[in-house]
Amino acid sequence: MRPVVHVVGARPNFVKAAPVLAALRDLGVEQRLVHTGQHYDAAMSDVFFADLQLPAPEVSLGVGSGTHARQTAALMTGLEDAFADLDPALIVGYGDVNSTLAAALVTSKTGVPLAHVEAGLRSFDPTMPEEVNRRVVDALSDVLLATSPEALAHLADEGLPASRMHLVGNTMIDSLLLARERLDPAGALQRLGLDAALLETGYAVATLHRPANVDDPATAARLVRGLAEVAADVPVVFPLHPRGGRTLRAGGVEDVPGLTVTAPLGYGDFLSLVSAARLVVTDSGGLQEETTVLGVPCLTLRPNTERPITITSGTNRLVDVQTLAAAAREALAAPPRPPELPPLWDGRAGPRAAAVIARFLADHA
Ligand code: UD1
């Protein structure tokens, strides 16, 4: 039996792929995992494989970092060889990272079908590398697995046939709901050397890694000043993504009173910390969704989001550095509001995605 080959490379891919792999395994489908090595630090990769109980990858390409063109080119040549060896029946890509773009470009010229998990999200912001990746990957995919109804409308607007589209829900939320049973906020705080009393007095979690926020030193320094205003009201825990390390440190993030910078955290510790937080400040895509399900107010430091359902149904709000502090104060003062969960964010998206993939394989055998 030719295998289904999953391509993962960056932190959010691991979280989205784990439930699909588990569900396909339950269906007895032969599968292989390829890790491109886009993320390679132990804290960005190994710890996620352990926390999510992902199988060791069959192939590790070790591509690493680079400019967009260099990284994508290295990903493509590595994946072309891997696909030639593995002889896939179908390739599955996740989300909007360069590893997924490269997988789609290579797959499209091999005649092997491609399934895209998290199809149809659009920020309509062409300056985001991820928006380019999303559009290209969706255009080249044979199976479009969407997390929310508006994603299907975007795909239809781009002329993609309805026969390719399947609303399966959000596999990242499957991982969250599974991990939820084992969350340990007190342990996570303790491992970071922080006082467990923060669980009573309240704290916020912040993350930043978007190029638009952290690549330019002046922008990064402004954001550090914005976070300092938040930290004047509530202690902030800030796990630092390697991308923003240099500019945010130069902007003084390590000297902000009330703000604790930590290394990147594993999946379990990070979710534990977020689950008990009074507030999250972020520019991450996945975290907008996770806070929605956890019912934690989320302030997103971006002018747009490809995940508007987290605003309409969830706890998310877009802010900029000028409005951040006031929005944080408002969120901290507001009574907790249980979110209205988007349809199919129920912990069963992985099995639904697997069923669609298995049916596609049977139809195209
Ligand atoms: C990538 C994704 C982004 C996603 C993010 C999640 C693209 C275009 N971007 O951004 O959509 O939200 O992952 O984290 O694919 N680095 C390390 N160690 C690592 C990985 C990266 O030090 O293990 C540093 C390197 O300096 C590297 C930089 O981070 O140059 C950026 O890494 P890269 O994979 O290019 O993109 P991310 O910013 O992580």
Side-chain angles (χ1 to χ4, degrees), residues 10-12 38-41 44 64-66 68 71 96-99 129-130 133 209-211 241-243 285:
R11 205 161 55 168
Q38 178 175 347
H39 285 173
Y40 44 86
D41 290 347
M44 301 289 285
S65 305
H68 281 283
Q71 187 182 55
D96 53 18
V97 304
N98 285 346
S99 295
E130 292 82 359
N133 294 352
H209 76 285
R210 292 281 162 206
H241 185 289
R243 181 172 198 114

